[in-house]
Amino acid sequence: MTRTPHLTSDGAACCWIPLFPLRCETARQPELASLPVALVGPDDTRRVWQVSPLARHAGVKPGMTVSQAIGLCPALKLCEPDPVHYDAQFSRLLAALGQVSPVIEPAELGLAYIGTDGLEGLYGAPEKIVEAIKRGMRNAERGTDGEGPLACSAFPLPRSAFRVGWGRGKFVSWVAATRARPGEAVIVPVGGEARFLAAQPLAALPLDSDTHRRLRQLGVRTLGALAALPEEAVVSQFGRAGRRLWRLAAGRIAERVVGRVAPEPIVAALTFFTAVGERELLVHALDQLIERALRDPRRSGWRVQVVRARAELEHGASWLVEATLKDPSADRGRIAAPLKTQLERSPPAGAVERLVVEFTAFAPGTAELQLFARDAHAAARAGRRRALRTAAQEIKLRLKRSLLYHVIEVQPWSRLPERRYALIDYEP
């Protein structure tokens, strides 16, 4: 495991797909396009998360309870969220953008920033850079890279779902993207940030409800009206947060795009003989998978900072939780604790067929751990692991699929033999 420096860029483009999860569902089920549709929340299935334009027209709003939404729109079609699918589609979108620029910063599902510094030599003026981004997105929709099949496969969303903005800094490019038409782009020239932002509504700023209310009581409706106020007067009313808001509105801040570091994750997976819904068994399986992932030789000398658990459920649904550890750790209990808390708070909506744990970000360990990682015994173990990995890959290539598994005891008290044990993919 090596530390990779972050790439940064002042020039920014923003690629945005509104209601990304809902669009993914509509792409998988085209018949939903003509119906009022709502996604229930991934963390609270009693409330509506995202709503289609037809549902919004009927009065349904995000955050409503399901009963309130159905009362307003009896024809409402409710869909269970599939977070693993959304995450996979967003990864494909990022892969398509990565063919245009090496500096990609994902912000949320359906929203990503692209660093554009240095691309002038490849593409030319900003208009050409934006055209390359739009071309990459369209090629992703078709599943090609312009010459051959795209490595990230097709991106199954309706054509022209994305919007692109270009400007100096992330905030300007984001506001530009929100003003673009579907499939089109808005370009803010360097030096024209203040003029462009002046006409934008106050809601474009990252405001909490109280600050938004107070500004409107002062008669401030646009970013230009806020920027016209003396900076120190805004600071005296709203503190340090007010200074940042004023500078964003005036186009004085150009937040840099910070390229993501995509480390190779450590993955441990478990396939159940029969789908499992018992909470205790899932907790036990999480412990087993975390323990196995911690034994991976690539983890030696590093502590886990971000851990994810995802599950494939019956009937094609999925479940996904992610936890960032405030204090990175190599202790199984500390790593498992936030996952177990989220499992209790928002359990899978169905029986689990396959459970996967991933370590996706790491922090350096102590000096003792680093020394241990370079220990001769650790090196010998790593060599044996490499030999086993090579043999396993050769078997997979010859037989077209992996036939190597660990058999572990998960429910020894069960009367059913197929419930006593589970298969874990053997990945040396």
Side-chain angles (χ1 to χ4, degrees):
M1 201 79 61
T2 56
R3 294 181 70 84
T4 307
H6 289 283
L7 298 174
T8 61
S9 172
D10 286 323
C14 175
C15 185
W16 178 48
I17 301 177
L19 300 177
F20 181 80
L22 189 60
R23 288 182 181 274
C24 288
E25 289 296 338
T26 305
R28 287 203 293 182
Q29 306 176 64
E31 65 275 9
L32 297 179
S34 59
L35 299 173
V37 182
L39 279 179
V40 296
D43 299 324
D44 185 358
T45 56
R46 296 170 300 177
R47 293 189 176 274
V48 171
W49 177 29
Q50 292 190 351
V51 299
S52 68
L54 286 175
R56 190 180 293 273
H57 184 71
V60 181
K61 296 180 181 179
M64 279 185 172
T65 63
V66 170
S67 58
Q68 288 175 326
I70 294 177
L72 288 170
C73 181
L76 185 67
K77 172 70 174 178
L78 293 173
C79 295
E80 293 284 343
D82 190 350
V84 173
H85 175 69
Y86 310 148
D87 187 70
Q89 298 309 313
F90 190 49
S91 296
R92 292 174 180 175
L93 182 151
L94 297 177
L97 295 176
Q99 296 183 5
V100 179
S101 170
V103 185
I104 305 294
E105 181 182 345
E108 60 185 47
L109 282 176
L111 174 64
Y113 296 101
I114 305 103
T116 60
D117 285 350
L119 296 184
E120 297 86 354
L122 290 174
Y123 302 106
E127 291 79 7
K128 299 292 185 181
I129 297 173
V130 168
E131 196 57 42
I133 294 172
K134 291 164 60 178
R135 184 166 59 248
M137 293 299 299
R138 294 192 183 106
N139 287 338
E141 291 170 345
R142 292 192 294 267
T144 66
D145 61 1
E147 297 179 358
L150 189 69
C152 67
S153 181
F155 184 61
L157 283 179
R159 296 277 180 95
S160 301
F162 62 88
R163 305 164 192 241
V164 179
W166 188 94
R168 181 172 170 270
K170 291 194 295 185
F171 178 68
V172 173
S173 65
W174 151 248
V175 177
T178 63
R179 298 299 173 260
R181 294 180 178 178
E184 299 298 330
V186 169
I187 298 175
V188 181
V190 176
E193 295 85 7
R195 182 182 304 173
F196 168 74
L197 293 173
Q200 306 307 322
L202 196 62
L205 287 171
L207 296 170
D208 58 71
S209 57
D210 181 62
T211 303
H212 188 268
R213 176 183 57 79
R214 290 173 62 191
L215 285 171
R216 290 184 65 85
Q217 287 177 343
L218 293 171
V220 177
R221 299 288 188 274
T222 64
L223 302 190
L226 178 59
L229 298 174
E231 180 179 1
E232 293 306 319
V234 176
V235 173
S236 67
Q237 285 288 324
F238 301 99
R240 293 178 60 185
R243 186 183 301 278
R244 182 174 182 273
L245 293 174
W246 185 90
R247 292 185 175 181
L248 284 174
R252 302 282 185 88
I253 295 180
E255 295 176 311
R256 310 186 99 191
V257 179
V258 180
R260 61 178 185 151
V261 177
E264 182 183 357
I266 293 176
V267 181
L270 186 154
T271 302
F272 296 101
F273 284 110
T274 56
V276 171
E278 291 88 347
R279 197 82 51 83
E280 296 78 9
L281 181 55
L282 293 177
V283 168
H284 181 64
L286 279 176
D287 284 332
Q288 293 276 343
L289 292 174
I290 291 172
E291 184 67 34
R292 179 171 176 238
L294 285 172
R295 291 198 300 266
D296 191 295
R298 293 175 296 164
R299 209 277 312 159
S300 295
W302 295 85
R303 295 171 295 160
V304 179
Q305 189 166 37
V306 179
V307 59
R308 299 191 341 159
R310 53 186 172 88
E312 297 173 10
L313 311 181
E314 287 182 314
H315 312 302
S318 66
W319 175 78
L320 174 68
V321 294
E322 181 175 281
T324 300
L325 304 181
K326 184 177 180 181
D327 297 315
S329 175
D331 179 76
R332 185 186 72 179
R334 292 186 179 182
I335 296 171
L339 297 181
K340 293 177 181 178
T341 300
Q342 295 191 50
L343 178 63
E344 290 290 332
R345 185 181 303 164
S346 55
V352 176
E353 295 180 338
R354 180 178 171 85
L355 186 64
V356 181
V357 166
E358 296 177 319
F359 298 161
T360 59
F362 306 86
T366 63
E368 290 79 6
L369 280 174
Q370 295 289 356
L371 289 173
F372 177 76
R374 294 192 292 270
D375 175 87
H377 294 292
R381 286 196 300 272
R384 290 194 295 270
R385 290 279 185 177
R386 284 195 296 272
L388 287 171
R389 191 178 300 115
T390 301
Q393 288 174 348
E394 184 175 347
I395 291 173
K396 188 174 182 179
L397 287 173
R398 289 186 178 186
L399 301 179
K400 306 301 182 185
R401 61 192 181 94
S402 177
L403 294 175
L404 300 178
Y405 303 96
H406 281 298
V407 179
I408 65 168
E409 193 176 54
V410 292
Q411 202 172 9
W413 55 85
S414 176
R415 294 183 179 180
L416 302 176
E418 62 269 21
R419 300 299 293 272
R420 296 176 193 162
Y421 303 94
L423 290 180
I424 288 184
D425 294 342
Y426 181 71
E427 299 173 355

